[in-house]
């Protein structure tokens, strides 16, 4: 399993994906992944999905079990 992206890279990825969704950027997911961030295309797609669903790159914690 690959390591998680550092916080600064995640913040940069979030800013780029949000600007792409607003129409400010005209760049492909592959370009974001390989040239700017240095991650996989799937990571960019997952980030975009989380932003559309939850408004941020990180999904909310799912607390399971007895409190």
């Amino acid at each position: 399993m690959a390591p998680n992206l550092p916080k600064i890279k995640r913040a940069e990825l979030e800013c780029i994906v949000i600007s792409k969704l607003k129409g400010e950027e005209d760049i492909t997911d592959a370009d974001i992944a390989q040239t700017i961030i240095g991650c996989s295309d799937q990571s960019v797609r997952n980030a975009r999905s989380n932003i559309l669903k939850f408004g941020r790159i990180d999904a909310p914690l799912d607390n399971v079990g007895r409190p």
Side-chain angles (χ1 to χ4, degrees):
M1 185 150 98
N4 292 334
L5 288 172
K7 287 184 181 181
I8 191 144
K9 292 271 188 179
R10 292 179 64 77
E12 184 179 0
L13 177 61
E14 184 173 10
C15 290
I16 292 170
V17 171
I18 288 173
S19 65
K20 181 181 176 184
L21 289 172
K22 288 181 179 177
E24 299 169 0
E25 297 280 335
D26 187 32
I27 190 169
T28 64
D29 290 344
D31 291 337
I32 293 171
Q34 294 175 359
T35 59
I36 298 173
I37 302 298
C39 62
S40 67
D41 295 348
Q42 187 64 41
S43 296
V44 176
R45 283 187 237 123
N46 289 339
R48 184 178 59 238
S49 174
N50 282 341
I51 289 171
L52 290 172
K53 287 180 186 174
F54 307 114
R56 35 187 299 230
I57 199 168
D58 298 320
L61 295 176
D62 186 19
N63 295 332
V64 178
R66 188 174 178 198

